[in-house]
Amino acid sequence: MTMTTTTELKRIIIEPVTRVEGHGKVSLLLDAQNKVKQARLHIVEFRGFERFVQGRPYWETPVLVQRLCGICPVSHHLCAAKAMDMVIGVDADQLTPVGEKMRRLMHYGQTLQSHALHFFHLASPDLLFGFDADPQIRNVLGVAAKFPDLAVRAVLLRRYGQEVIKFTAGKKIHGTGAVPGGINKNLSVAERDELKKELPKILEWSVGGLELCKKFTREHLAELADFGSFPSNHLSIVRKDGAMDLYDGNLRAIDSEGKRIIDGVAPKDYLSVIREEVRPWSYMKFPFLKDLGPEKGWYRVGPLARLNTCDFIDTPLAEKERQEFTALTKGKPNNITMAYHWARLIEMLHAVEKIQLLLDDPDLQADNLTAQGTFRGEGVGILEAPRGTLFHHYRVDKNDQVTMANLIVSTTNNNEPMNLAVRKVAEQFFDGRAVTEGLLNRIEVAIRAYDPCLSCATHAMGQMPLVVEAFDEAGRVVSRAVKS
Amino acid sequence: MAKPKVATASLAGCFGCHMSILDIDERILKLAELVEFHKSPINDIKKFSERCLVGLIEGGCANDENVHVLQDFRKNCDVLISLGDCATMGGLPAMRNHVPLEECLAEAYLNGPTVHNPTKQIPNDPEIPLLLNKVYPLHEVVKIDLHLPGCPPPADAIWEVLVALLNNKPIDLKYGLLRYD
Ligand code: SF4
């Protein structure tokens, strides 16, 4: 049932508690005919970063804020650094070449490790074993037992991404590479050569992973096209010339037919286009395009959205793959939820190609690490994290203390779409009576396509512990199943 | 003999400590030979059905559900390890401890510049767990047998500790593996 509105705070004490749930929870609301009327994915964690960062010195934020998420820490690290560049008066085009390129290298390393982790460790069991497979083997160790070669490649692909991060940020998880105005180290020749050595294998395996995913999608297209799919708007940043750019650019949003809704909106102007709705049943807010309102303005972000919004990709192998991808929908935006995986692996290949280009660039050995500007006191950073558009906005006072922080994390941008995907799957597979194992698996598969890094909002990895409940009109539980 | 079992959980953490477990890279396949992974977010096992030798917990306790999971781990694991700074000290989430919780919620759901909240509601549904007034390190809630510091602890440290425990050897971490960043 819809909960009554209240601004009252909860009673907050430590006491023995009586219910344990996983981090993700879904409830289905039924109408009088036992049809699904509403589906909700509840996000159950809250950190309070926006408030407790107030009073901290601004230069601390890039290292603090990444601790929101250990799966994509580099994204938060760089996004905060970009915002702080602006705070100290350094515009994106004023970074030194080594400053920008080291950050990009770090970012592409992150994209590689995150996409590899998601596809191989988390999603591939669904594809390799099927949606109805025994949950006991539907995990990464099940993949390792049945497809050992694939598992080893998966581990090594991810490791390579982590190595790139280590050499650029000083540490695989929660490094310190980016500072306001630039970076704190360049890439030594020895580090460069070590990374270059392994690159040919990494490129080959990325292509292999993409082939695997493409083959699966094409073979199951009839089943997948409708699975949890719906038309939607799509949002990302793109480079000024329309190229996909994961590190820097202006906001562009298109509708489900490809018509542009917004374009060329600079990061500093994000407030003129984005709002987030609060709903009482989730700690995660619901972003939307301001002019369209909460009903019509929600959008998707992440690999699928980026493939849809960009005009082209500026690396040859990934661009060829993009053309093949868009041919599937005859150049119109692809609205198939399960196509996220395919899009994700095209981006992984793009990240590897970018790493290759950067490693050949002598700028990475330059010494002018940071740029200086005139203090402005406010900054917005936007980049494309592995899971989608990430926004960081800060205000800083004359004592260098943060006075305001506003973060819209990637997964939050996909809140409405994930809820809708769950609803679609429920409408399709719920028989009106019992929540079955098959329905449960499928709901998970649909949520997982979005690669929700609920760590930023909460977290989930692998098989998310999931509870699905169906309510009748009077709010009584009709059926309940727990993923176990 | 049945393989010893290892369970893991992420409470109020960022998943970075779990990422650090994965950073043992190829050794994860070796580990899968030595132990059986029981309840963990990387597989599908949700409830304890057998006793575990080791429980690795990342993150402190920020809500009632965290407390419940932690108590469940204590009951079912022989050796319970606080993995990382959030688990041992509260870490970054505990930075909210010096601010009233009301203010944290107000900032996120009422005051933020992008917030659209005409009815001024703060998430408060029975479906979402109760927040604790403070974020607590694990040892303030249950007895913890081992503390492994770091944000996250290095993959090699996690590996060394697991190997020592599995072989019933004393844990002797080399200088450099114990770190606090
Ligand atoms: S200790 Fe660090 S890496 Fe581990 S959960 Fe906490 S913030 Fe994340």
Side-chain angles (χ1 to χ4, degrees):
Chain A
M1 290 298 290
T2 320
M3 290 298 140
T4 45
T5 309
T6 172
T7 50
E8 260 171 48
L9 291 168
K10 292 167 183 161
R11 207 163 67 102
I12 300 150
I13 45 167
I14 277 207
E15 58 182 356
V17 285
T18 52
R19 75 194 159 89
V20 179
E21 308 287 11
H23 294 121
K25 180 168 181 174
V26 169
S27 58
L28 308 176
L29 188 68
L30 311 178
D31 64 13
Q33 281 76 46
N34 274 353
K35 286 246 164 58
V36 176
K37 204 162 93 185
Q38 202 171 58
R40 286 174 171 177
L41 167 66
H42 304 273
I43 299 303
V44 299
E45 293 206 358
F46 172 76
R47 292 278 183 268
F49 182 87
E50 295 88 342
R51 174 61 187 82
F52 67 63
V53 72
Q54 293 175 9
R56 309 296 305 185
Y58 73 84
W59 57 81
E60 231 180 51
T61 46
V63 287
L64 270 189
V65 71
Q66 63 185 341
R67 266 117 182 143
L68 288 174
C69 177
I71 301 179
C72 53
V74 167
S75 312
H76 286 291
H77 181 59
L78 291 178
C79 203
K82 286 181 78 176
M84 290 310 165
D85 293 344
M86 211 184 271
V87 164
I88 63 165
V90 174
D91 289 325
D93 55 8
Q94 291 171 334
L95 285 176
T96 63
V98 59
E100 189 195 319
K101 287 174 185 173
M102 281 296 281
R103 287 186 185 182
R104 281 186 179 270
L105 183 58
M106 196 193 304
H107 193 45
Y108 293 121
Q110 162 81 353
T111 307
L112 168 58
Q113 84 84 18
S114 176
H115 282 359
L117 174 80
H118 183 262
F119 182 70
F120 292 103
H121 295 65
L122 307 183
S124 75
D126 296 331
L127 313 189
L128 296 168
F129 298 126
F131 297 175
D132 285 314
D134 176 2
Q136 293 298 321
I137 60 154
R138 234 174 46 130
N139 62 54
V140 63
L141 294 176
V143 173
K146 193 127 186 261
F147 307 94
D149 288 354
L150 189 73
V152 170
R153 284 178 197 185
V155 165
L156 295 180
L157 267 172
R158 176 175 174 276
R159 187 184 72 176
Y160 188 80
Q162 292 288 78
E163 295 282 321
V164 171
I165 295 171
K166 190 176 84 188
F167 287 147
T168 47
K171 194 161 156 247
K172 287 184 174 177
I173 300 161
H174 301 331
T176 58
V179 295
I183 41 136
N184 64 14
K185 82 181 274 290
N186 63 10
L187 194 72
S188 72
V189 170
E191 289 167 335
R192 181 197 67 192
D193 291 345
E194 194 174 330
L195 289 176
K196 278 179 95 159
K197 220 171 40 207
E198 282 182 74
L199 199 69
K201 263 190 328 218
I202 297 301
L203 189 65
E204 184 193 321
W205 294 342
S206 309
V207 172
L210 173 56
E211 289 303 325
L212 182 81
C213 177
K214 230 163 46 178
K215 186 158 161 276
F216 172 84
T217 314
R218 287 200 184 281
E219 279 169 9
H220 297 80
L221 197 58
E223 184 194 346
L224 296 182
D226 266 356
F227 185 83
S229 293
F230 43 83
S232 79
N233 305 319
H234 300 268
L235 174 104
S236 80
I237 53 170
V238 292
R239 204 166 72 186
K240 288 208 176 66
D241 60 359
M244 172 185 277
D245 192 335
L246 303 177
Y247 173 76
D248 197 39
N250 290 334
L251 289 165
R252 172 185 286 178
I254 57 167
D255 69 11
S256 60
E257 288 295 307
K259 210 175 100 238
R260 296 215 179 135
I261 309 170
I262 59 166
D263 197 17
V265 178
K268 68 174 176 36
D269 298 325
Y270 87 109
L271 276 180
S272 67
V273 290
I274 306 285
R275 286 291 176 277
E276 304 168 278
E277 193 187 4
V278 178
R279 298 185 197 163
W281 45 271
S282 180
Y283 283 127
M284 197 151 87
K285 288 175 267 192
F286 291 80
F288 60 91
L289 293 166
K290 187 173 138 239
D291 286 352
L292 294 182
E295 297 275 305
K296 296 214 175 89
W298 57 273
Y299 50 81
R300 286 194 263 206
V301 297
L304 182 71
R306 291 190 286 250
L307 264 282
N308 284 331
T309 51
C310 76
D311 300 329
F312 67 100
I313 298 180
D314 66 349
T315 53
L317 297 179
E319 170 59 14
K320 219 173 113 250
E321 296 292 338
R322 186 195 69 85
Q323 290 174 8
E324 197 179 327
F325 181 84
T326 52
L328 188 78
T329 47
K330 308 198 168 45
K332 290 273 182 206
N334 185 322
N335 286 292
I336 302 173
T337 287
M338 292 302 282
Y340 261 98
H341 295 294
W342 183 350
R344 192 169 288 123
L345 291 190
I346 295 176
E347 286 189 351
M348 185 166 94
L349 180 59
H350 170 63
V352 175
E353 288 181 279
K354 282 289 195 186
I355 291 171
Q356 192 170 30
L357 288 169
L358 282 164
L359 290 179
D360 284 333
D361 190 329
D363 277 350
L364 285 178
Q365 280 80 45
D367 287 326
N368 49 344
L369 305 182
T370 51
Q372 245 117 65
T374 315
F375 188 80
R376 287 191 193 122
E378 182 161 3
V380 178
I382 302 185
L383 57 71
E384 289 296 327
R387 290 153 189 84
T389 318
L390 173 64
F391 302 74
H392 280 212
H393 175 197
Y394 302 96
R395 287 194 196 110
V396 178
D397 68 13
K398 286 199 206 63
N399 304 318
D400 291 353
Q401 289 172 301
V402 175
T403 57
M404 192 282 301
N406 189 39
L407 313 181
I408 309 176
V409 302
S410 318
T411 297
T412 299
N413 286 301
N414 272 334
N415 201 355
E416 186 73 45
M418 289 193 296
N419 274 279
L420 201 55
V422 170
R423 177 171 161 185
K424 288 278 164 190
V425 172
E427 280 170 358
Q428 204 181 343
F429 297 98
F430 182 60
D431 64 3
R433 293 190 305 276
V435 180
T436 59
E437 177 72 19
L439 173 63
L440 216 54
N441 280 350
R442 284 174 169 75
I443 286 178
E444 277 196 349
V445 169
I447 298 172
R448 198 172 304 118
Y450 291 87
D451 185 11
C453 175
L454 303 180
S455 186
C456 303
T458 152
H459 42 239
M461 176 160 164
Q463 315 293 340
M464 181 160 47
L466 189 68
V467 181
V468 177
E469 288 177 328
F471 297 91
D472 66 10
E473 271 198 307
R476 285 182 300 249
V477 176
V478 201
S479 176
R480 181 171 195 275
V482 180
K483 178 102 212 173
S484 62
Chain B
M1 216 178 69
K3 287 196 235 175
K5 296 186 177 53
V6 176
T8 77
S10 172
L11 308 182
C14 75
F15 238 95
C17 289
H18 272 76
M19 288 293 118
S20 202
I21 300 177
L22 289 185
D23 279 342
I24 64 175
D25 297 325
E26 305 92 295
R27 287 172 288 178
I28 194 102
L29 303 173
K30 213 190 286 171
L31 190 62
E33 283 168 20
L34 297 175
V35 303
E36 199 174 297
F37 276 97
H38 201 54
K39 180 180 155 80
S40 163
I42 65 161
N43 62 32
D44 240 356
I45 305 170
K46 181 156 154 58
K47 286 208 177 76
F48 280 106
S49 56
E50 282 164 293
R51 203 157 173 82
C52 292
L53 174 68
V54 183
L56 290 164
I57 307 217
E58 121 180 348
C61 288
N63 64 35
D64 62 352
E65 182 194 307
N66 296 153
V67 174
H68 208 115
V69 173
L70 178 61
Q71 288 169 335
D72 199 29
F73 265 73
R74 181 66 278 179
K75 242 188 276 153
N76 289 285
C77 300
D78 293 343
V79 181
L80 202 55
I81 303 179
S82 270
L83 186 64
D85 291 350
C86 294
T88 56
M89 298 181 275
L92 173 117
M95 282 176 70
R96 83 156 152 88
N97 289 359
H98 62 262
V99 186
L101 182 58
E102 286 84 345
E103 286 183 26
C104 289
L105 289 163
E107 196 64 17
Y109 302 108
L110 301 175
N111 305 338
T114 41
V115 167
H116 170 81
N117 192 356
T119 55
K120 304 259 171 274
Q121 54 194 350
I122 281 177
N124 192 18
D125 187 284
E127 303 296 342
I128 52 182
L130 287 178
L131 293 166
L132 304 176
N133 59 338
K134 277 176 40 182
V135 177
Y136 294 84
L138 303 185
H139 65 270
E140 289 188 11
V141 182
V142 300
K143 177 174 176 289
I144 294 293
D145 304 301
L146 273 175
H147 296 266
L148 194 51
C151 181
D156 288 339
I158 299 173
W159 173 253
E160 296 282 326
V161 166
L162 286 177
V163 169
L165 284 173
L166 290 171
N167 294 310
N168 223 347
K169 294 254 164 61
I171 296 165
D172 180 21
L173 287 182
K174 284 189 289 294
Y175 185 77
L177 286 187
L178 266 188
R179 47 192 298 169
Y180 298 85
D181 63 342

